[in-house]
């Protein structure tokens, strides 16, 4: 009988060495970026398990939860994105990858409702095709960090109605493409259109993520907002929201999308003449959003 | 128009405060243990995302991978457990929850193949019902930490054959319940049975976890082992493996199940008389496993 070299304990698993041993198993990963990500993932995952001393029953519950989350996904529903959202991971990734810099418009999550292309509309058009809700005049401008206007910038907007639903959630109830519009800023980078004041709404609650929110006494609501995606040649596109100041849940967005710089008053204007000029009933609400884009130097750097 | 209190920036999301803000959202979780787990999870998850500065494309790939992992699960396959296994999380949870203490037999993962009850067999029985493989006499004992034998301890064993397959993986090829047995130790806590030397085998490679192993140049194999679950009234049950010293992959188990204290030589014996006594052809292999159980004081402490 041969005598064997005993296995090297330093290569074998133990509570103390667990992260080192598992990280070492990824040492031959050909892609250095994948190797780096998995090494860090292992260290943080093991750190978590050790920190809470996860029990076997809790581990089994976690396996069940993750499995149910995967199985709740369909072609029209992404429960893992929702989980990432309510754990703040989506916003963290978004924020890290879109560091705005002083004076630049901050971004926030795109969300799942930009699923249809917004219809091109003339400046001043009313995107509330069914005329329901509190009328609102939205004005704004697009400029670079030096204050120079960005003429003909593309301003893509979409929003929920005053019951908290997007058009795609209420086919047959709302007109197709209701509360969506793709505008082209004028020669001085200005834009304006008519809409309504949006309402807050809940994220889907009928899946594993909904059960998580319920078990943790968290509400599922996103505060009222209008989505903007603003782009122009030579500038980095910004995907963001404009939030309604003082609206419900403004301090507790279920997906952590609110940044202070994106919150605006929507003051009421009682001025029949301005209302007539804007093509809105009097009184009406107003909001202004001056967007500052970052020059895109990626082409130069590449 | 009312003037609104602006949202409190300390409650709103930012790259610096992300973990604090999200952890705070779980502050009203009624179950304190769930609150503690989620708070720690959030801190480690955000720590990971910040450490690697995960890109939006990498985040999307992670969402896709997790979704595919959930969708690969069926009533007979658990891909998330497999993921937990290859990330060492299963072994870490197992190890934390079964700290053996000096001199006690260490545990390891149960694995997915204890899915059928082992048939009760007499001491000395041959569990290799098809007679294929290298014959092996397995002997051992069960005792407490003071060395006192544990009479009539239940010794449940199951193992792969010499091609690396369990009976349930080869219905119609292997006899039902091949290489499984539930033994009762004798009055001095001793047990013995006949079997074969097991072979290493790969974990399932045809799903997302298999793709992860391939992308990271990791092999999918578990080194050869015999599963043991040893229990007796008044003692804590130990679920563990006996590994074959010097066998392939003994230093690189795909699921990190090897602990040095569980590795044994399986020496060959060339002794016609002993072979005849054991009921095995000569020569044959042998292995001995002396199990030390921890007295279960849980009832007293409860």
């Amino acid at each position: 009988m041969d005598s064997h070299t005993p296995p090297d304990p330093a290569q074998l698993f133990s509570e103390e060495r667990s992260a080192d041993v598992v990280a070492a198993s990824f040492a031959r990963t050909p892609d250095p970026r994948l190797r780096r990500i998995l090494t860090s993932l292992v260290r943080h995952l093991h750190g978590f398990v050790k920190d809470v001393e996860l029990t076997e029953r809790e581990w089994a519950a976690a396996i069940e939860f993750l499995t149910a989350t995967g199985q709740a996904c369909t072609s029209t529903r992404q429960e893992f994105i929702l989980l990432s959202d309510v754990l703040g991971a989506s916003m963290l990734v978004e924020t890290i990858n879109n560091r705005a810099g002083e004076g630049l418009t901050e971004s926030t999550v795109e969300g799942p409702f930009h699923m249809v292309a917004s219809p091109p509309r003339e400046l001043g058009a009313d995107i509330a095709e069914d005329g329901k809700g509190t009328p609102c005049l939205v004005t704004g401008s697009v400029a670079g960090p030096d204050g120079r206007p960005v003429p003909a910038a593309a301003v893509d907007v979409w929003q929920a109605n005053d019951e908290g639903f997007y058009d795609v959630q209420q086919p047959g109830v709302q007109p197709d493409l209701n509360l969506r519009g793709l505008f082209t800023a004028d020669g001085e980078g200005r834009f304006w259109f008519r809409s309504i004041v949006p309402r807050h709404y809940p994220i889907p609650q009928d899946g594993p993520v909904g059960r998580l929110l319920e078990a943790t006494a968290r509400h599922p609501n996103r505060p009222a907002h209008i989505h903007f995606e603003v782009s122009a040649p030579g500038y980095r596109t910004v995907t963001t929201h404009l939030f309604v100041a003082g609206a419900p849940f403004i301090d507790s967005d279920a997906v952590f999308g609110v940044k202070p710089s994106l919150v605006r008053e929507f003051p009421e204007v009682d001025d029949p003449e301005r209302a007539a000029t804007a093509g809105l009933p009097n009184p009406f609400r107003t909001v202004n959003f001056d967007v500052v884009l970052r020059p895109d130097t990626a082409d130069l750097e590449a």
Side-chain angles (χ1 to χ4, degrees), chain A residues 8-29 35 38-47 50:
Chain A
D8 178 1
Q11 289 184 266
L12 295 182
F13 193 93
S14 71
E15 186 172 335
E16 294 68 33
R17 288 186 305 268
S18 72
D20 287 342
V21 169
V22 178
S25 76
F26 289 113
R28 287 185 306 278
T29 302
R35 184 167 65 238
L38 289 170
T39 301
S40 180
L41 176 68
V42 164
R43 295 200 182 281
H44 286 90
L45 175 62
H46 285 227
K50 288 181 176 188

Side-chain angles (χ1 to χ4, degrees), chain A residues 148-199:
Chain A
R148 209 176 303 188
V150 179
V155 180
D156 188 350
V157 299
W158 66 103
Q159 68 170 73
N161 68 8
D162 73 337
E163 294 178 340
F165 293 103
Y166 291 83
D167 56 351
V168 292
Q169 296 176 289
Q170 292 189 312
V173 176
Q174 293 187 43
D176 281 358
L177 304 176
N178 193 33
L179 297 169
R180 297 178 188 269
L182 176 59
F183 298 95
T184 303
D186 71 8
E188 276 105 61
R190 292 173 306 193
F191 64 87
W192 62 96
F193 59 91
R194 288 170 288 163
S195 185
I196 57 150
V197 180
R199 186 178 183 272

Side-chain angles (χ1 to χ4, degrees), chain A residues 113-256:
Chain A
F113 293 113
H114 198 206
M115 49 174 65
V116 293
S118 301
R121 302 195 196 251
E122 296 296 318
L123 288 169
D126 193 346
I127 65 175
E129 300 204 345
D130 58 5
K132 290 182 185 166
T134 304
C136 183
L137 178 66
V138 182
T139 60
S141 65
V142 184
D146 54 2
R148 209 176 303 188
V150 179
V155 180
D156 188 350
V157 299
W158 66 103
Q159 68 170 73
N161 68 8
D162 73 337
E163 294 178 340
F165 293 103
Y166 291 83
D167 56 351
V168 292
Q169 296 176 289
Q170 292 189 312
V173 176
Q174 293 187 43
D176 281 358
L177 304 176
N178 193 33
L179 297 169
R180 297 178 188 269
L182 176 59
F183 298 95
T184 303
D186 71 8
E188 276 105 61
R190 292 173 306 193
F191 64 87
W192 62 96
F193 59 91
R194 288 170 288 163
S195 185
I196 57 150
V197 180
R199 186 178 183 272
H200 61 272
Y201 58 83
I203 60 174
Q205 294 161 266
D206 58 341
V209 173
R211 292 199 295 277
L212 174 65
L213 294 183
E214 195 180 343
T216 56
R218 276 180 55 175
H219 72 77
N221 293 289
R222 301 214 58 210
H225 57 273
I226 302 174
H227 293 266
F228 281 80
E229 188 178 292
V230 181
S231 56
Y235 293 89
R236 186 158 177 181
T237 298
V238 65
T239 302
T240 193
H241 303 359
L242 201 59
F243 291 93
V244 182
F249 312 113
I250 191 72
D251 273 342
S252 61
D253 186 351
V255 308
F256 307 99

Side-chain angles (χ1 to χ4, degrees), chain A residues 234-236 294-302:
Chain A
Y235 293 89
R236 186 158 177 181
R294 175 207 294 268
D296 190 354
T297 54
D299 293 343
L300 301 173
E301 287 165 0

